Amino acid sequence: DADVTQTPRNRITKTGKRIMLECSQTKGHDRMYWYRQDPGLGLRLIYYSFDVKDINKGEISDGYSVSRQAQAKFSLSLESAIPNQTALYFCATSDSFTHEQYFGPGTRLTVT
Amino acid sequence: GDSVTQMEGPVTLSEEAFLTINCTYTATGYPSLFWYVQYPGEGLQLLLKATKADDKGSNKGFEATYRKETTSFHLEKGSVQVSDSAVYFCALSIGGKLIFGQGTELSVKP
């Protein structure tokens, strides 16, 4: 079984809709992250959480919110989706010692 | 601010050719440096890392040396294979967060 899972893997939604992307991990890591990937821009950090009670904004948090429901679960919400949020979204986890991050398979989101 | 710059792609090579993908960084502290690889349709996988100046990371025939004097972490492989075709990302870790370069697409032809 995969260590970091994301659901859904693909989603098409309409402008103005609320959508939630979910991430679960079995690695036992404290730290979790949400990124978006756009062609030619690499990955940009949206939000990150170093433990269950810790939530921090990343580089591009506007239009997004997150919830850390448990050590193993970290969800990303788009309250009112817009077309420029069309992207590939990745969840990642890490421990606090090595700083190596482990990525999920990604969610391809299309906002029409 | 902290940043990572990679050479632009796509890079197209023939099988068994030598590979170099340039990466330079700007950081106020002493970051750890990473190379990640993304195969088509997949998430990113850690390829190698180096945590301090002059460290060499290596894995699967790839290697990169942390050069503080030139603020670089260039990725090299002596003989690429078709299976190495992927997008390669250089990244630095500072404050527990990763900052990525824009990625370099590598295509290896038989």
Side-chain angles (χ1 to χ4, degrees):
Chain A
D1 288 339
D3 295 317
V4 184
T5 57
Q6 294 183 234
T7 55
R9 294 293 313 278
N10 289 282
R11 181 72 182 267
I12 300 173
T13 192
K14 294 184 183 297
T15 297
K17 294 291 188 181
R18 183 179 189 275
I19 184 167
M20 178 182 290
L21 309 182
E22 297 185 338
C23 177
S24 295
Q25 53 111 349
T26 58
K27 297 190 74 67
H29 289 163
D30 291 329
R31 301 181 173 193
M32 298 187 74
Y33 308 80
W34 275 105
Y35 295 90
R36 66 176 278 174
Q37 182 179 20
D38 299 279
L41 295 179
L43 276 75
R44 293 180 291 168
L45 183 63
I46 306 172
Y47 270 95
Y48 62 103
S49 169
F50 283 173
D51 66 41
V52 174
K53 296 182 180 180
D54 176 71
I55 301 289
N56 303 282
K57 293 183 177 180
E59 179 187 354
I60 53 163
S61 59
D62 287 349
Y64 302 94
S65 63
V66 291
S67 173
R68 184 83 184 265
Q69 301 94 323
Q71 186 198 36
K73 295 184 182 295
F74 192 38
S75 60
L76 175 72
S77 294
L78 287 67
E79 298 300 327
S80 179
I82 57 177
N84 77 358
Q85 291 177 314
T86 293
L88 192 52
Y89 290 84
F90 287 102
C91 175
T93 74
S94 74
D95 62 34
S96 58
F97 300 104
T98 66
H99 304 296
E100 297 172 7
Q101 292 192 15
Y102 295 85
F103 286 78
T107 294
R108 184 168 296 281
L109 176 67
T110 303
V111 184
T112 63
Chain B
D2 302 325
S3 66
V4 176
T5 302
Q6 293 180 229
M7 65 185 286
E8 290 192 17
V11 174
T12 302
L13 295 173
S14 298
E15 205 164 25
E16 299 184 1
F18 184 85
L19 169 71
T20 299
I21 300 178
N22 291 336
C23 171
T24 58
Y25 68 91
T26 302
T28 52
Y30 299 94
S32 295
L33 300 175
F34 301 83
W35 277 100
Y36 282 81
V37 58
Q38 184 180 29
Y39 298 104
E42 298 184 11
L44 278 71
Q45 302 175 23
L46 178 64
L47 181 59
L48 54 84
K49 72 173 188 179
T51 58
K52 61 182 187 298
D54 300 325
D55 269 2
K56 177 186 283 187
S58 61
N59 186 26
K60 299 181 181 179
F62 292 90
E63 58 184 33
T65 300
Y66 190 146
R67 302 286 187 199
K68 188 179 176 188
E69 63 277 13
T70 54
T71 61
S72 65
F73 192 55
H74 304 320
L75 182 68
E76 296 182 336
K77 187 175 185 182
S79 176
V80 294
Q81 305 300 313
V82 172
S83 57
D84 293 326
S85 297
V87 180
Y88 292 82
F89 292 93
C90 184
L92 65 84
S93 175
I94 199 156
K97 298 179 292 181
L98 283 179
I99 297 172
F100 287 90
Q102 74 271 35
T104 302
E105 181 181 359
L106 171 65
S107 177
V108 181
K109 306 298 185 185

